[in-house]
Amino acid sequence: MNIREQIKLVNIALSGTLDLYRIWAKKHQLNYNALVILYTLNDYKICTQKQICDWWALPKQTVHGILLDFEKKGYISIIANKENKRERLISFTEEGEIFALSILKKLHQMEENAMHNLGEEKRQQLIDCNTMYYELLKEEMQNE
């Protein structure tokens, strides 16, 4: 198999994985972007809109709109950062945490089952290879 075919297979696997998250989101009356925002807040507990945008490569306006919707529904609180007045810190309310877990608990279990079934060695290889590919591709793009 030549390298272009291998790249195609890697991209199909990555795209397919992201599509599974889109399908999960849709099953729970969300879009993919809203799901990753819930996922991020669940993982980090407190973060900024800029961090969410940077981590997921999402447009600022998209994230802002979803955050406003979540705030209106009482799922998140947005407060000024005392250390940097221009930043606002986002975290779940109690109701938001319950809502997020109603969507994420089963998803996390399925992710953990899939990773468990890979076995320790392949899990580490997956992490190492994905990280290395990302770093090498990033370096290539920076040196274009």
Side-chain angles (χ1 to χ4, degrees), residues 28-39:
H28 293 86
Q29 290 75 50
L30 294 172
N31 64 40
Y32 172 82
N33 296 331
L35 177 66
V36 299
I37 290 171
L38 291 178
Y39 202 104

Side-chain angles (χ1 to χ4, degrees), residues 66-119:
I66 293 167
L67 292 175
L68 285 179
D69 182 55
F70 284 167
E71 185 180 36
K72 192 185 316 177
K73 291 176 178 173
Y75 296 157
I76 62 168
S77 67
I78 303 174
I79 58 169
N81 184 349
K82 293 175 185 170
E83 296 165 14
N84 180 349
K85 298 289 186 205
R86 294 182 341 170
E87 279 187 342
R88 294 169 9 125
L89 301 174
I90 304 153
S91 61
F92 281 130
T93 61
E94 191 174 323
E95 186 179 348
E97 211 163 316
I98 292 167
F99 171 71
L101 284 178
S102 75
I103 294 164
L104 298 174
K105 187 175 182 181
K106 180 71 176 164
L107 176 60
H108 287 162
Q109 187 61 56
M110 291 183 297
E111 290 171 324
E112 290 168 21
N113 290 344
M115 287 295 271
H116 176 77
N117 289 335
L118 274 176

